Amino acid sequence: MRAQCQCGQLTVELPGPSPAVVACHCIACQRRSGSPFGVLAYYPEDLLTVAGEGKRFERATDEGSRFETVFCPECGSTVYARTAKHPSMIGVAVGAIADPALPAPVRSVWEESMHHWVTVPGEVQHFAKGRV
Ligand SMILES: [Zn+2]
Ligand SMILES: [Zn+2]
């Protein structure tokens, strides 16, 4: 299984589907992804193999932590991200994996800024802000 940017320059080899898929409706994830919410599949970093050149962007989070996104300098797609809260984990952009059979989110966070038409169905934990 593999995640890649639009142009294919930046790739991440994955061991398979992740059971830890998180949908985030925060404003920063909306701007980062260009979508109404961001969805990341989390993996321990040592299970992943990154190839290609990634550019990093780091920002502060509303909870006072740091969040780093890595994107392709050619086409601009975010391929993966990391939070200082869980530095050994990497969140791979579910859209970059582009496999419709992937598991649905198990957590939905920052729902206080969720678009009014969005619902996250199924067995999912809902949080108004970040996970507590
Ligand atoms: Zn690219
Ligand atoms: Zn977010």
Side-chain angles (χ1 to χ4, degrees):
M1 186 168 264
R2 153 188 288 206
Q4 68 169 66
C5 63
Q6 286 183 89
C7 77
Q9 187 273 129
L10 179 58
T11 63
V12 184
E13 295 298 333
L14 313 169
S18 164
V21 176
V22 180
C24 183
H25 309 272
C26 82
I27 300 298
C29 282
Q30 294 187 33
R31 296 213 163 101
R32 167 182 71 72
S33 65
S35 300
F37 54 96
V39 190
L40 296 172
Y42 283 90
Y43 294 88
E45 180 172 20
D46 54 8
L47 297 184
L48 306 181
T49 308
V50 177
E53 188 196 344
K55 192 164 193 299
R56 283 161 211 285
F57 173 75
E58 197 185 276
R59 64 169 170 83
T61 69
D62 294 344
E63 296 163 309
S65 183
R66 307 292 298 173
F67 189 81
E68 174 190 71
T69 57
V70 181
F71 58 96
C72 172
E74 292 300 319
C75 70
S77 310
T78 299
V79 177
Y80 61 95
R82 183 198 319 255
T83 170
K85 235 164 98 178
H86 305 289
S88 66
M89 299 293 283
I90 284 192
V92 178
V94 165
I97 307 172
D99 180 346
L102 285 177
V106 293
R107 277 196 294 285
S108 173
V109 300
W110 290 98
E111 289 192 343
E112 67 177 20
S113 49
M114 183 167 75
H115 285 233
H116 65 91
W117 52 268
V118 171
T119 54
V120 184
E123 287 289 311
V124 59
Q125 292 180 283
H126 300 275
F127 296 91
K129 295 179 184 287
R131 182 189 185 184
V132 274

